[in-house]
Amino acid sequence: MQKIWFQKHTILGRFPWLDAAYDAHFKALLPEDTIVRQQGLPGRAFADALPVNYVEFGQAEAFFGWEFARQSLEAERAGYDAYVIGTSQDPGLSHALSLTSIPVIGYGRQTFSLLASQRIQFGIVGFIPALEAPISANMRTQGVSSSCVGFEYMPGAKEVIGDALANSGDVRELVSLMDRAAEKLKARGADVVVCGEGLENELLWAAGVRETGGLPVIDSNGLTVVMADALARARAAKVWDVGANSYERRRLAPSVVRHLQEVFMP
């Protein structure tokens, strides 16, 4: 049996049908013996239905990144075989890779690196324009910027996304906006569309929408858990291992790690 921890920005329970949609999505893609645990941010993190008004700020994302990194430790201690950061800007990913020995998969890094490795040109359609900056910076670090033809952000999409969530996944208006944005990216040479945030990815998947503006939509949420499952199984089979000989991979005693966590991540 494989266990995957899927970490999200949202707070579980605020849209129960959405939580159920993620569960059904992962169940449809993974072997029967793979279990995926969704984990959101603490309920007291924000009172809004969605974190949209927070992730626009790097200052807030720094706090969220600490939480995402901390949860990677909890996932490994709880016996999970892989840890997924299910949001496009991959908060806490770099630290999580150092903190844990289990595979750590980021929505953005996994999607962009896979597409670039297959020489696929992609465009990004989103609804939070401020995220273009961290996503672009991550792509530059990965060396995949040349595979991205650009970003398109949908006007009024925050409200459209909110309405779709409130109406249990009615994506008709969202699809109309996506189509127009994707058509622009197609004209610039995109082969596929990547959702700029996990929410519209999940809304489209749940509604059965697999293409927009004449381009396939990459299911990044699904891709991350499929790759997490594959990497965990490959590691268990000794196909690969991270070792423990580098600066990033040498490990302190568990008691020391817990002490440092209590001091710096209370």
Side-chain angles (χ1 to χ4, degrees), residues 21 62 98 101 104 128 135 137 144 179-180 188 208 210 228 238 255:
S98 294
S101 297
V104 178
I128 306 177
I135 293 172
V144 299
D179 282 344
R180 291 197 289 273
R188 288 152 67 178
R210 303 292 182 263
K238 306 298 183 183
S255 60

Side-chain angles (χ1 to χ4, degrees), residues 24-250:
H25 185 176
F26 299 152
K27 185 176 181 180
L29 297 177
L30 296 169
E32 291 184 359
D33 65 340
T34 298
I35 295 172
V36 180
R37 169 185 175 176
Q38 294 183 60
Q39 180 68 43
L41 292 175
R44 65 184 185 279
F46 51 84
D48 301 351
L50 296 171
V52 174
N53 294 324
Y54 294 84
V55 298
E56 293 179 326
F57 297 89
Q59 186 180 33
E61 195 72 299
F63 288 104
F64 294 159
W66 294 345
E67 172 68 4
F68 277 46
R70 183 186 72 82
Q71 291 288 44
S72 71
L73 279 172
E74 299 305 321
E76 184 170 34
R77 287 171 182 157
Y80 282 80
D81 302 290
Y83 180 73
V84 172
I85 294 176
T87 183
S88 60
Q89 64 274 36
D90 299 333
L93 176 61
S94 178
H95 290 317
L97 285 165
S98 294
L99 285 168
T100 67
S101 297
I102 60 176
V104 178
I105 311 296
Y107 176 116
R109 181 174 293 190
Q110 182 59 61
T111 301
F112 306 143
S113 62
L114 177 64
L115 294 175
S117 73
Q118 298 301 305
R119 297 197 296 232
I120 297 171
Q121 295 292 110
F122 60 88
I124 298 171
V125 177
F127 71 97
I128 306 177
L131 294 185
E132 180 176 349
I135 293 172
S136 294
N138 289 344
M139 285 194 291
R140 287 194 296 272
T141 299
Q142 287 179 253
V144 299
S145 298
S146 62
S147 295
C148 179
V149 306
F151 294 74
E152 285 292 333
Y153 284 94
M154 301 173 284
K158 284 185 185 179
E159 292 75 18
V160 170
I161 292 283
D163 290 344
L165 290 168
N167 294 312
S168 299
D170 183 346
V171 298
R172 286 173 291 184
E173 192 171 356
L174 174 61
V175 168
S176 179
L177 292 176
M178 291 280 296
D179 282 344
R180 291 197 289 273
E183 286 167 1
K184 294 178 182 178
L185 292 170
K186 184 178 181 180
R188 288 152 67 178
D191 300 312
V192 300
V193 166
V194 175
C195 293
E197 302 84 17
L199 278 175
E200 73 263 32
N201 185 141
E202 202 56 38
L203 283 165
L204 295 176
W205 176 273
V209 177
R210 303 292 182 263
E211 67 172 46
T212 183
L215 296 176
V217 178
I218 299 299
D219 172 22
S220 296
N221 285 335
L223 179 62
T224 58
V225 294
V226 168
M227 292 305 298
D229 184 65
L231 285 175
R233 291 178 187 275
R235 183 168 180 255
K238 306 298 183 183
V239 173
W240 73 285
D241 202 339
V242 297
N245 195 45
S246 68
Y247 171 78
E248 292 284 346
R249 297 300 179 182
R250 288 196 297 272

